[in-house]
Amino acid sequence: MAISGIGGSGGNMPVSRVNHPVQQTPFQPTPGGIRVPTDQLDISPMARMMSELQSLEENDPSRSELIARIRDEIANGTYDTDEKLEAALANFLRQVQNDS
């Protein structure tokens, strides 16, 4: 097989550019008529929820203690008990009955 030149066995191939969609940068007009780009920050709903939960935990020490206790119980395998399951099932059945 003969390989000639830089292009290798397939010959020289043109280089094509990858076209990415262009995002418009928001501009803020200034008194002199110069358009200055402005930054934009988009926060997802999940990030907002996590921020709210974090501020709740920081502002309520008893909540932090409750969360720590529940995490320990889950890690030790003592969080899910038959009594809790029965109470949750009874509550669910009451809700279903009330909705009917």
Side-chain angles (χ1 to χ4, degrees):
M1 173 161 112
I3 299 176
S4 60
I6 299 173
S9 62
N12 292 336
M13 301 289 291
V15 176
S16 63
R17 190 171 155 202
V18 176
N19 292 323
H20 296 287
V22 177
Q23 292 184 349
Q24 295 294 328
T25 304
F27 287 94
Q28 180 178 4
T30 62
I34 299 172
R35 294 176 4 145
V36 178
T38 58
D39 293 331
Q40 179 178 344
L41 175 66
D42 295 323
I43 300 175
S44 71
M46 179 63 74
R48 288 182 191 174
M49 183 180 73
M50 294 300 292
S51 177
E52 289 174 14
L53 288 174
Q54 185 177 9
S55 67
L56 281 174
E57 188 173 331
E58 290 170 355
N59 295 329
D60 187 1
S62 64
R63 183 167 177 83
S64 298
E65 293 167 5
L66 173 66
I67 291 171
R69 183 180 57 83
I70 290 173
R71 285 183 178 158
D72 288 341
E73 288 180 9
I74 291 171
N76 295 332
T78 58
Y79 181 73
D80 293 321
T81 62
D82 291 338
E83 293 81 20
K84 287 182 182 179
L85 180 60
E86 289 175 13
L89 182 58
N91 188 26
F92 172 74
L93 292 174
R94 273 193 303 277
Q95 288 178 356
V96 170
Q97 186 177 18
N98 290 338
D99 290 345
S100 298

